[in-house]
Amino acid sequence: MKPNFTLRLRVFNLNCWGIPYLSKHRADRVKRLGDFLNLESFDLALLEEVWSEQDFQYLRQKLLPTYPAAHYFRSGIIGSGLCVFSKHPIQEFTQHVFTLNGYPYMIHHCDWFCGKAVGLLVLHLSGLVLNAYVTHLHAEYNRQKDIYLAHRVAQAWELAQFIHHTSKKADVVLLCGDLNLHPKDLGCRLLKEWTGLHDAYLETRDFKGSEEGCTMVPKNCYVKPQDLGPFPLGIRIDYVLYKAVSGLYISCKTLKTTTGHDPYSGPPFSDHEALMATLCVRHSPPQHNPSPTHGPAESSPLTSVLREAWGEVDQGMAQAHWWATVAGYAIGLGLLLLALLCALAAGGWIREAALLLWTPSVGLVLGAGAFHLFHVQEAKSLCKTRTELQHVLGRAREAQDLGPESQPALLLGRQEGERVEEQ
Amino acid sequence: MKPNFTLRLRVFNLNCWGIPYLSKHRADRVKRLGDFLNLESFDLALLEEVWSEQDFQYLRQKLLPTYPAAHYFRSGIIGSGLCVFSKHPIQEFTQHVFTLNGYPYMIHHCDWFCGKAVGLLVLHLSGLVLNAYVTHLHAEYNRQKDIYLAHRVAQAWELAQFIHHTSKKADVVLLCGDLNLHPKDLGCRLLKEWTGLHDAYLETRDFKGSEEGCTMVPKNCYVKPQDLGPFPLGIRIDYVLYKAVSGLYISCKTLKTTTGHDPYSGPPFSDHEALMATLCVRHSPPQHNPSPTHGPAESSPLTSVLREAWGEVDQGMAQAHWWATVAGYAIGLGLLLLALLCALAAGGWIREAALLLWTPSVGLVLGAGAFHLFHVQEAKSLCKTRTELQHVLGRAREAQDLGPESQPALLLGRQEGERVEEQ
């Protein structure tokens, strides 16, 4: 049995923009961030883009007295950049690396090399089990022509599925991170609809910070106008999301963001704004929810967002198949060229030119081969996502057909007793 | 509340050896397997090495009347080879692709291209939640000098962690698959100790089949002596593992294996033997376990296996770092060679030889670069595994220090009420 009490949880989230050699004033910003975290003594500080493990180790040493527990989530070649500092002991941790994360040949975008992931921490606070997740999804470089859209939607789905399947026994679920998604973007809606997580910014009655809760604002001296694209007033892509289950009620008492400078009006900690939330968890008597989120109508938010995601992933799959085919033709072309060059060199004609062209031809065959294999794998991963979406969509439709009463039994997991209490 | 009853669960598992163009008599074997599965009407049939999606689609069509639900787990370039056929509706499914899975340059071993994974199905049977997992770990090609040992241990740990974190609300947990691990191998002990899963072969009182439960036997006409290495009498690497939680008792009533031919004494279904288990789940009054598995002694099975796994993964990490360094030197060497060749070609000396050597030099630099990045990523993934093992080891030791009474609270998740009932 859980004690009858109120749990207050102070949470800090920041994308730290900690790229070695590239991010400006990194050492100074990390130092000041450490000082601030020590002073504020949050329950949990969840950080993204701590790309340098040295920065994490520096913070770990500095924060040790206030945050005795810490973890750095390692993955990929560069790393996930995710880490966490906790005032309370961490009972368990694990991570899931996203299957799709951009393209290795888009070297200038670098995301593929990071191994972007979601990290999970299990904490026990006053008899409650808290599952805290931290994540960072693929960046958006061009909103008008976003070649990574299908990957980001697939990541949002994998994130939602990971939370869905690992949090079934948690009392409180918390997700912080840089989603690289605007609040109304498909991935964000999919995540919220499938997990039932609530957005602290939309839920709180006490918000202080940047206009419309933006977490990248033009006032921040590290933000260039092109970072904001068609949103010169700022974008909201960093989130604190939460829910409570099993007869508990969770609310966001206060939410603050920094506003282009650090909390003491000094230079900013990062090119993103920090989020500081005070969450309150208390017992709540079970009560029937008069307005179920998933109504019986065909246009319920869950089915419509699932359908939309299905369409996006399907389109991505077609694209992946197309690239795999193009690469197949390029392999054939490269092999033809190689045979021709061999014949020319053997025949003694333009021998030097033939030898000179040998390298690019071999390069073409090998490069196109790798490109082909990569896109075959991409198509397979997108197909897996599409199949999962289709299955959930099918079940959501069945639930709708049977009416709202049957939904909890059919859409198990998300609905098991949690929708009633989490309002 | 769950009804007071006995649930009988008939499960089939087989590594199908379904490699297109390479596996002998594939089409005939798949056809006969389909006939057998239809005739026997198991609750669940979990298959591995169904590498061809056409084979899956053929079986899906053939089995549709008996097994209305089916799923194929897609991943990697070739695929995970995992699929499942179920008599009961599948409520949910998801999968986790292993972070480490061999080396891309070991093309003849092919495992890296498969994207080996664990698949999860959630089923509701008579009011109980069944989490069924199917998996296939990296093959063992040379037991004396196993270069994949650290990867297989890391896969066993990831598998155990995936089950641990996704099954917290399940009533019954079932894991079937080809683990490529002998019963006393480190990975197998780690998996069983951390998840609390029981081995059907060791638990059942009614076993019929090959000697010592072997799943690769010399009598099988598709098994070559070299497949069995130093075990000419056979090896046991395919498993049915299970546990029950929340006041339930699970036992294996019967376990059968095929014995080198199909159940009608015809040619075998595969080079592996099939496993057929009848599991029985019923209510059990909670009772105190007089002999806790994790005793307070320093040498408890969990701590000792965690320590052993830590050592193995640590050694793998050192090896990965070593290869990354060697590749670093090779990159340097390749760049030097390229500079020299450029100088020679520009100076007009042995121009043709210089041009001829251009391709291998560029190849060396690019190849060594890719090799370096791969091993950096390998080291990071092994480091992540080592950190998780270290954390659990620390907590297991704390639990030991505090005595057996405190273990359930400290080693949460695995211990939450499950050890008492699952005996």
Side-chain angles (χ1 to χ4, degrees):
Chain A
M1 287 303 294
K2 281 133 201 165
N4 197 1
F5 74 139
T6 298
L7 173 70
R8 225 172 69 106
L9 201 62
R10 292 183 62 236
V11 177
F12 177 90
N13 178 75
L14 178 65
N15 175 324
C16 295
W17 190 46
I19 315 168
Y21 314 115
L22 290 179
S23 302
K24 283 183 195 161
H25 318 128
R26 197 179 103 241
D28 174 61
R29 288 188 288 110
V30 170
K31 186 190 159 295
R32 286 188 297 114
L33 174 64
D35 292 334
F36 176 72
L37 290 179
N38 264 336
L39 195 75
E40 285 287 328
S41 185
F42 294 98
D43 290 288
L44 271 175
L46 302 122
L47 309 180
E48 302 93 51
E49 287 207 16
V50 181
W51 300 119
S52 151
E53 195 162 337
Q54 278 71 42
D55 285 351
F56 167 73
Q57 295 299 351
Y58 167 81
L59 283 172
R60 182 178 212 165
Q61 285 307 315
K62 194 178 178 99
L63 302 180
L64 199 60
T66 327
Y67 303 84
H71 184 63
Y72 191 66
F73 293 96
R74 288 169 190 89
S75 75
I77 294 163
I78 296 171
S80 71
L82 308 171
C83 65
V84 68
F85 298 92
S86 168
K87 210 198 271 185
H88 313 280
I90 298 171
Q91 302 297 322
E92 303 183 310
F93 51 77
T94 192
Q95 67 190 53
H96 174 82
V97 180
F98 298 125
T99 318
L100 289 165
N101 187 34
Y103 305 101
Y105 50 83
M106 301 298 268
I107 296 173
H108 57 301
H109 285 168
C110 225
D111 293 67
W112 187 85
F113 295 88
C114 299
K116 286 194 168 166
V118 47
L120 158 62
L121 304 164
V122 182
L123 284 92
H124 296 173
L125 299 177
S126 317
L128 296 182
V129 177
L130 166 68
N131 272 27
Y133 300 85
V134 58
T135 196
H136 187 192
L137 304 193
H138 197 293
E140 186 185 73
Y141 297 97
N142 184 337
R143 197 166 171 85
Q144 278 67 43
K145 202 183 169 192
D146 186 5
I147 56 164
Y148 302 113
L149 184 56
H151 284 212
R152 213 177 303 100
V153 171
Q155 287 187 344
W157 176 248
E158 262 187 40
L159 170 61
Q161 282 277 72
F162 183 73
I163 295 172
H164 175 78
H165 285 283
T166 55
S167 69
K168 288 186 177 175
K169 217 173 176 173
D171 298 300
V172 178
V173 176
L174 174 73
L175 167 63
C176 291
D178 175 0
L179 301 183
N180 275 311
L181 292 165
H182 295 220
K184 291 197 174 159
D185 281 358
L186 173 57
C188 195
R189 285 180 287 128
L190 181 66
L191 172 69
K192 283 162 68 181
E193 275 302 319
W194 184 230
T195 57
L197 287 166
H198 297 281
D199 185 341
Y201 173 72
L202 299 178
E203 300 288 323
T204 189
R205 287 179 191 171
D206 181 359
F207 173 75
K208 283 190 189 77
S210 55
E211 213 172 322
E212 299 197 7
C214 288
T215 57
M216 282 193 92
V217 295
K219 251 175 77 178
N220 187 308
C221 61
Y222 298 128
V223 173
K224 295 182 291 269
Q226 60 264 38
D227 295 336
L228 300 174
F231 304 95
L233 299 176
I235 52 178
R236 186 157 81 88
I237 54 173
D238 302 82
Y239 295 83
V240 172
L241 301 163
Y242 57 79
K243 70 173 180 179
V245 290
S246 24
L248 293 169
Y249 173 88
I250 184 165
S251 59
C252 180
K253 286 292 160 205
T254 67
L255 179 70
K256 282 185 205 169
T257 70
T258 51
T259 53
H261 42 73
D262 79 5
Y264 317 117
S265 304
F269 286 143
S270 167
D271 61 347
H272 285 240
E273 302 308 314
L275 289 160
M276 289 157 278
T278 306
L279 305 175
C280 188
V281 185
R282 59 181 170 80
H283 275 272
S284 143
Q287 57 192 16
H288 282 290
N289 182 6
S291 57
T293 310
H294 306 153
E298 174 63 7
S299 62
S300 91
L302 181 63
T303 50
S304 74
V305 78
L306 285 169
R307 232 188 339 248
E308 210 180 318
W310 190 96
E312 200 56 63
V313 170
D314 188 62
Q315 215 173 311
M317 225 178 99
Q319 191 80 3
H321 278 304
W322 189 82
W323 280 118
T325 311
V326 167
Y329 286 124
I331 296 169
L333 188 73
L335 288 171
L336 260 175
L337 201 62
L338 267 181
L340 185 70
L341 291 175
C342 286
L344 283 175
W349 298 317
I350 50 165
R351 198 180 175 93
E352 205 163 285
L355 290 176
L356 258 176
L357 285 172
W358 179 254
T359 303
S361 305
V362 170
L364 178 65
V365 172
L366 293 180
F371 194 86
H372 174 77
L373 290 181
F374 181 82
H375 284 288
V376 165
Q377 177 264 337
E378 184 194 15
K380 262 210 167 76
S381 297
L382 286 168
C383 183
K384 166 229 142 196
T385 307
R386 197 185 63 169
T387 312
E388 286 186 16
L389 286 165
Q390 194 159 343
H391 181 82
V392 177
L393 190 57
R395 296 200 58 75
R397 278 187 185 140
E398 273 176 49
Q400 280 177 5
D401 292 346
L402 292 171
E405 295 77 19
S406 309
Q407 288 179 38
L410 270 168
L411 283 167
L412 177 112
R414 181 196 163 166
Q415 281 73 5
E416 273 196 310
E418 82 195 34
R419 285 233 57 87
V420 173
E421 295 88 22
E422 78 196 17
Q423 300 304 313
Chain B
M1 288 303 295
K2 283 133 201 165
N4 196 2
F5 74 140
T6 298
L7 173 70
R8 226 172 68 107
L9 201 62
R10 292 183 63 236
V11 177
F12 177 91
N13 178 75
L14 178 66
N15 174 325
C16 294
W17 190 46
I19 315 168
Y21 314 114
L22 290 179
S23 302
K24 284 183 192 162
H25 318 128
R26 196 179 103 241
D28 173 60
R29 288 187 289 111
V30 169
K31 186 191 161 294
R32 288 187 295 113
L33 175 64
D35 293 334
F36 176 73
L37 290 179
N38 264 336
L39 195 76
E40 285 287 328
S41 185
F42 293 96
D43 291 287
L44 271 176
L46 302 122
L47 308 180
E48 302 93 52
E49 287 206 16
V50 182
W51 301 119
S52 151
E53 194 161 337
Q54 278 72 41
D55 286 349
F56 168 73
Q57 294 300 349
Y58 167 81
L59 282 172
R60 183 179 210 165
Q61 284 308 314
K62 192 177 179 100
L63 302 180
L64 200 59
T66 327
Y67 304 83
H71 184 62
Y72 191 65
F73 293 96
R74 288 168 190 89
S75 73
I77 293 163
I78 297 171
S80 71
L82 306 172
C83 66
V84 68
F85 298 92
S86 169
K87 209 198 269 185
H88 314 279
I90 298 171
Q91 301 298 322
E92 302 183 311
F93 52 77
T94 192
Q95 68 191 53
H96 173 82
V97 180
F98 298 124
T99 318
L100 288 165
N101 187 33
Y103 305 102
Y105 50 83
M106 300 298 269
I107 295 171
H108 57 303
H109 285 168
C110 226
D111 292 66
W112 187 84
F113 296 87
C114 299
K116 286 195 170 166
V118 46
L120 159 62
L121 305 164
V122 182
L123 285 92
H124 296 174
L125 300 177
S126 315
L128 296 183
V129 176
L130 167 68
N131 272 28
Y133 300 85
V134 58
T135 197
H136 186 191
L137 304 193
H138 197 293
E140 186 185 72
Y141 296 97
N142 184 337
R143 197 166 171 85
Q144 277 67 44
K145 202 184 168 189
D146 186 5
I147 57 165
Y148 302 112
L149 183 56
H151 284 212
R152 212 177 304 99
V153 171
Q155 286 188 343
W157 176 249
E158 262 187 39
L159 170 62
Q161 282 277 73
F162 183 72
I163 295 172
H164 175 79
H165 285 283
T166 56
S167 69
K168 288 187 178 175
K169 217 173 178 173
D171 297 300
V172 179
V173 176
L174 174 72
L175 166 63
C176 291
D178 175 0
L179 300 184
N180 274 311
L181 292 166
H182 295 221
K184 292 197 174 160
D185 281 358
L186 173 57
C188 195
R189 286 181 285 128
L190 182 67
L191 172 69
K192 283 162 69 180
E193 275 303 318
W194 183 231
T195 57
L197 287 166
H198 298 279
D199 184 341
Y201 173 72
L202 299 179
E203 301 287 323
T204 189
R205 287 180 191 170
D206 182 359
F207 173 74
K208 284 190 189 77
S210 56
E211 213 171 322
E212 299 197 7
C214 287
T215 57
M216 282 193 91
V217 295
K219 252 175 79 179
N220 187 308
C221 61
Y222 298 128
V223 173
K224 294 182 292 273
Q226 59 265 37
D227 294 337
L228 300 175
F231 304 95
L233 299 177
I235 53 177
R236 187 158 81 88
I237 56 173
D238 302 83
Y239 295 83
V240 172
L241 302 163
Y242 57 78
K243 70 172 180 180
V245 290
S246 23
L248 293 168
Y249 173 89
I250 184 164
S251 59
C252 180
K253 286 291 161 206
T254 67
L255 180 70
K256 281 185 206 168
T257 70
T258 51
T259 53
H261 43 73
D262 79 4
Y264 317 115
S265 303
F269 287 144
S270 167
D271 61 347
H272 285 240
E273 302 308 313
L275 288 161
M276 290 157 278
T278 306
L279 304 175
C280 188
V281 185
R282 57 181 170 79
H283 275 272
S284 144
Q287 55 191 17
H288 281 289
N289 181 6
S291 57
T293 310
H294 306 152
E298 173 63 8
S299 61
S300 91
L302 181 64
T303 50
S304 74
V305 78
L306 284 169
R307 229 185 346 241
E308 211 180 317
W310 191 96
E312 200 55 64
V313 169
D314 188 61
Q315 215 173 308
M317 226 178 97
Q319 191 80 2
H321 278 303
W322 189 82
W323 280 117
T325 310
V326 167
Y329 286 124
I331 296 169
L333 188 73
L335 288 172
L336 260 174
L337 200 62
L338 268 179
L340 186 71
L341 291 174
C342 287
L344 284 174
W349 299 316
I350 49 167
R351 198 182 175 94
E352 203 164 283
L355 289 176
L356 258 176
L357 286 172
W358 180 254
T359 304
S361 305
V362 169
L364 178 65
V365 171
L366 293 180
F371 194 86
H372 174 77
L373 291 182
F374 181 82
H375 285 287
V376 164
Q377 178 265 336
E378 184 194 16
K380 262 209 166 76
S381 298
L382 287 169
C383 183
K384 166 229 142 195
T385 307
R386 198 186 61 167
T387 312
E388 286 186 16
L389 286 166
Q390 194 159 346
H391 181 81
V392 177
L393 190 56
R395 296 201 59 74
R397 279 188 185 140
E398 271 176 51
Q400 280 177 4
D401 292 346
L402 291 171
E405 295 76 20
S406 309
Q407 289 180 35
L410 270 169
L411 283 167
L412 177 112
R414 184 200 160 165
Q415 281 73 5
E416 274 196 310
E418 81 193 35
R419 287 232 57 88
V420 172
E421 295 88 21
E422 76 195 17
Q423 301 304 315

